[in-house]
């Protein structure tokens, strides 16, 4: 499937501008546990959607060397750190991943103590479930004894990145451990996909939801984990096997449009573009680095086309589901509203930028 490289480059520029211009419109009121307002939309806020967004920007900067983009990223961190960082939890850890990836390339002295302090506190003080998994506590809720697939992207990737960059193997080891524990309890042996969550209280997977974006965190997470850190050979082999099984299931569920649905196995649920972008990125990247057959690249390019079709003239990525709590029935996932977000923009950036790494599949025509 030929996609115009010029079209992708134009869309990338628009999506970056669309993300940095995001502002909350008052639709969602989610106060934090400490009484402060929670802002999961505006770019200038330290939370998980913004953290994922910044990761997309850093990955794009690393590819392009764009000095203006670098200035935007560094300015964001300088302002937020000066204003004071929020209490540590799974979701407020997410912005540390992009900061670590930035620091490993530029070694800015002002960022290293912030990263080291946060990594130490994650490993030493973050609440854990049985078997040592990170309990999925967030800014507005304590989720006792629960594992969520989001945690791997929000926390474990940061530990792997900073551990590799700093030479502190214990952080990489912890990241490996988290992937293994979560795979044990969230992987669905029947379908090859992943459930959204697990609770040790009752020992069940809640609604047994094969949730789209949650699965995309796993696709992106495994690939980027093995790319950013020296992972133990046995763990790497295990996780890539898990990924191969997941992708085999995903290929059967891709819609004719190139998108995937918010409940992957439910044709009545809506097509969702943040998950589609994550899968597209993962499929194209895996094929590019020799981990998958031609059909992986073909499916990834179909996903790329679906993402492009959902980028507006203002650069805002449409048909992105809002932040999704743990659902106790499948209708909960079907009813999640659509809302432009930093993670929707970021996953689109990852997908579009990876598309440009497939030059044989691109045309230069506009």
């Amino acid at each position: 499937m030929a996609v115009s490289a010029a079209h992708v480059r134009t869309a990338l520029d628009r999506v970056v501008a669309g993300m940095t211009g995001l502002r909350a419109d008052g639709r969602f009121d989610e106060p934090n546990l400490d009484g402060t307002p929670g802002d999961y939309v505006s770019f200038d806020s330290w939370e998980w959607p913004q953290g994922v967004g910044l990761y997309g920007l850093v990955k794009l900067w690393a590819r392009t060397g764009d000095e203006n983009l670098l200035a935007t990223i560094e300015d964001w961190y300088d302002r937020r750190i000066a204003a004071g960082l929020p209490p540590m939890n799974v979701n407020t850890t997410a912005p540390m991943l992009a900061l670590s990836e930035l620091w490993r390339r530029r070694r800015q002295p002002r960022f290293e103590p912030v990263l080291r302090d946060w990594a130490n506190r994650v490993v030493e003080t973050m609440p854990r479930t049985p078997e040592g998994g990170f309990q999925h506590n967030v800014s507005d809720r304590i989720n006792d004894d629960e594992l969520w697939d989001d945690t791997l992207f929000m926390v474990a990737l940061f530990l792997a990145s900073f551990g590799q960059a700093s030479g502190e193997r214990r952080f990489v080891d912890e990241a490996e451990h988290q992937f293994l524990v979560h795979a044990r309890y969230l992987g669905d042996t029947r379908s090859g996909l992943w459930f959204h969550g697990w609770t040790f209280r009752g020992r069940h997977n809640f609604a047994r939801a094969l949730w789209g974006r949650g699965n995309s965190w796993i696709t992106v997470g495994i690939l980027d984990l093995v790319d950013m850190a020296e992972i133990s050979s046995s763990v790497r082999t295990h996780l890539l096997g898990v990924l191969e099984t997941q992708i085999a299931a995903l290929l059967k569920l891709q819609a004719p449009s190139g998108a995937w649905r918010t409940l992957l196995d439910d044709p009545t649920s809506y097509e969702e573009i943040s998950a589609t972008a994550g899968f597209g990125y993962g499929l194209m990247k895996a094929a590019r680095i020799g981990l998958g057959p031609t059909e992986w690249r073909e499916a990834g390019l179909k996903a790329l086309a679906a993402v492009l079709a959902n980028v507006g003239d203002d650069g805002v990525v449409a048909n992105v589901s809002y932040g999704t709590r743990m659902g106790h029935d499948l209708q909960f996932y079907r009813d999640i509203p659509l809302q432009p977000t930093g993670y929707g923009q970021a996953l689109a950036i990852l997908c579009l930028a990876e598309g440009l790494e497939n030059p044989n599949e691109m045309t230069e025509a506009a």
Side-chain angles (χ1 to χ4, degrees):
M1 176 181 292
V3 177
S4 163
H7 186 187
V8 174
R9 293 190 191 100
T10 299
L12 264 172
D13 290 341
R14 288 177 178 167
V15 171
V16 170
M19 179 166 68
T20 57
L22 286 176
R23 298 292 181 273
D25 61 7
R27 286 179 64 200
F28 304 102
D29 180 21
E30 298 186 79
N32 297 323
L33 290 171
D34 62 5
T36 58
D39 185 348
Y40 298 90
V41 177
S42 301
F43 181 64
D44 197 22
S45 178
W46 187 289
E47 256 295 346
W48 72 270
Q50 295 81 1
V52 180
L54 287 155
Y55 182 59
L57 294 183
V58 168
K59 295 275 280 187
L60 181 60
W61 162 76
R63 182 185 184 277
T64 64
D66 186 327
E67 291 295 323
N68 290 328
L69 185 55
L70 174 62
T72 296
I73 297 164
E74 290 192 333
D75 176 68
W76 191 94
Y77 279 107
D78 285 334
R79 287 186 292 105
R80 299 319 309 160
I81 291 169
L85 299 184
M88 184 196 70
N89 59 54
V90 167
N91 284 352
T92 59
T93 299
M96 288 294 172
L97 171 58
L99 185 61
S100 176
E101 287 294 286
L102 182 65
W103 176 75
R104 75 188 296 179
R105 291 170 173 85
R106 292 180 56 81
R107 299 287 170 167
Q108 307 96 320
R110 67 191 187 278
F111 292 144
E112 190 270 343
V114 177
L115 290 163
R116 187 174 302 280
D117 172 70
W118 200 284
N120 281 327
R121 288 193 290 129
V122 166
V123 171
E124 295 167 7
T125 71
M126 184 168 279
R128 295 180 184 250
T129 69
E131 300 187 32
F134 289 140
Q135 180 172 294
H136 194 87
N137 289 352
V138 295
S139 299
D140 61 353
R141 182 170 298 187
I142 303 298
N143 296 304
D144 288 322
D145 290 334
E146 293 182 17
L147 298 174
W148 295 25
D149 46 21
D150 318 43
T151 303
L152 295 177
F153 193 99
M154 307 306 160
V155 181
L157 285 186
F158 159 58
L159 292 177
S161 171
F162 182 67
Q164 186 69 31
S166 66
E168 294 196 48
R169 181 67 203 183
R170 65 192 180 102
F171 295 129
V172 179
D173 290 343
E174 185 63 64
E176 291 183 0
H177 174 64
Q178 294 303 319
F179 268 85
L180 293 175
V181 171
H182 282 72
R184 168 168 158 75
Y185 286 103
L186 300 182
D188 175 22
T189 55
R190 178 173 296 180
S191 69
L193 301 169
W194 284 51
F195 296 123
H196 187 182
W198 165 267
T199 176
F200 285 93
R201 298 187 176 187
R203 300 185 68 85
H204 59 76
N205 292 108
F206 297 96
R208 296 178 62 83
L210 301 173
W211 175 46
R213 188 166 59 248
N215 271 266
S216 77
W217 295 136
I218 302 308
T219 310
V220 176
I222 291 176
L223 280 166
D224 284 7
L225 176 75
V226 300
D227 193 31
M228 69 175 49
E230 296 175 11
I231 302 303
S232 306
S233 176
S234 59
V235 175
R236 187 180 192 274
T237 299
H238 174 73
L239 291 178
L240 290 179
V242 168
L243 177 69
E244 183 177 352
T245 300
Q246 185 206 39
I247 289 178
L250 288 172
L251 294 182
K252 299 173 184 177
L253 297 171
Q254 188 174 24
S257 67
W260 280 268
R261 299 183 180 278
T262 197
L263 288 173
L264 293 170
D265 59 341
D266 180 359
T268 71
S269 67
Y270 56 78
E271 295 182 6
E272 204 279 323
I273 297 303
S274 70
T276 297
F279 294 140
Y281 166 77
L283 287 161
M284 289 186 290
K285 179 175 180 175
R288 174 172 58 84
I289 64 179
L291 294 179
T294 302
E295 51 262 40
W296 287 22
R297 177 180 286 111
E298 292 171 352
L301 288 166
K302 286 179 63 178
L304 173 65
V307 172
L308 285 168
N310 280 275
V311 176
D313 291 340
D314 58 358
V316 174
V317 180
N319 292 310
V320 171
S321 63
Y322 189 59
T324 304
R325 302 183 187 278
M326 189 59 58
H328 291 267
D329 60 67
L330 296 180
Q331 190 60 42
F332 171 84
Y333 294 88
R334 300 183 189 105
D335 292 340
I336 295 294
L338 298 172
Q339 167 69 36
T341 64
Y343 55 82
Q345 302 292 123
L347 289 166
I349 288 170
L350 293 179
C351 184
L352 295 170
E354 181 59 37
L356 292 176
E357 299 289 347
N358 287 266
N360 293 336
E361 306 296 339
M362 290 285 171
T363 68
E364 287 296 333

